[in-house]
Amino acid sequence: MVSEVLDDAVADRIMAVLATVPDPEIPAVSVTDLGIVRGVRCDPPVVTITPTYTGCPATLVIEASVRAALDEAGFADVGIKTVLSPPWTTDWISDEGREKLRAYGIAPPPKGAGSRSLRADSPAECPRCGSLHTQEVSRFGSTPCKALWRCLDCQEPFDRFKCH
Ligand SMILES: [Zn+2]
């Protein structure tokens, strides 16, 4: 990857543009926070993105938002390549992205929790009080990418990112 980046400065500028593109479902975090943007190549200029959830209706919105941001910033000649393999994992969410999710009231998945180690019944941490005394209310939260949980200590419902 690094050897393919011909101009780091341009790649940095493109990444800075993408850092302003909010996730369509969780506007508090950007597509770079979530790790959806996998990288930038400069020859030919291409942004590689991996959607968080295959079949998620947000996928097309994300691509359109990235396209619009690139066009507006003068990067109309930069292409977008959607890559489905390897599949997106919650481990790609940046530390900053995790903090933004928590501040937004969504329990971020624990770092290093792969799809095998994180079963549906493992506890989510309450984004409000930090309690692990929580339970899943519904597999279907406000969007297909999230599940609805409830904290048994502070009684607050919250969304949890489904782990992939
Ligand atoms: Zn709580």
Side-chain angles (χ1 to χ4, degrees):
M1 173 74 209
V2 171
S3 62
E4 291 170 299
V5 174
L6 295 186
D7 189 333
D8 286 346
V10 172
D12 285 351
R13 275 168 55 211
I14 292 173
M15 285 302 281
V17 169
L18 299 178
T20 67
V21 177
D23 179 73
E25 294 188 334
I26 313 161
V29 291
S30 73
V31 293
T32 55
D33 289 330
L34 288 178
I36 292 170
V37 175
R38 300 311 300 152
V40 178
R41 282 201 233 163
C42 290
D43 186 29
V46 170
V47 173
T48 304
I49 60 175
T50 297
T52 51
Y53 187 74
T54 308
C56 184
T59 302
L60 291 175
V61 180
I62 289 171
E63 202 172 313
S65 304
V66 168
R67 177 76 272 154
L70 288 172
D71 289 352
E72 196 173 317
F75 292 112
D77 57 337
V78 176
I80 299 172
K81 187 179 171 197
T82 299
V83 176
L84 299 178
S85 179
W88 182 85
T89 127
T90 44
D91 286 348
W92 293 355
I93 303 175
S94 69
D95 289 341
E96 196 184 342
R98 278 163 208 280
E99 280 315 305
K100 288 182 185 174
L101 282 175
R102 198 189 309 278
Y104 192 64
I106 296 173
K111 194 118 185 169
S115 54
R116 275 178 296 113
S117 61
L118 197 81
R119 298 185 309 278
D121 59 351
S122 63
E125 186 183 314
C126 172
R128 290 181 179 80
C129 71
S131 170
L132 286 172
H133 193 208
T134 57
Q135 71 174 189
E136 187 179 76
V137 178
S138 166
R139 288 296 289 161
F140 302 98
S142 53
T143 75
C145 303
K146 288 174 277 183
L148 183 63
W149 280 64
R150 188 166 62 95
C151 177
L152 299 176
D153 284 333
C154 70
Q155 303 296 324
E156 285 291 329
F158 61 92
D159 281 331
R160 181 197 205 184
F161 239 94
K162 278 184 193 168
C163 299
H164 302 270

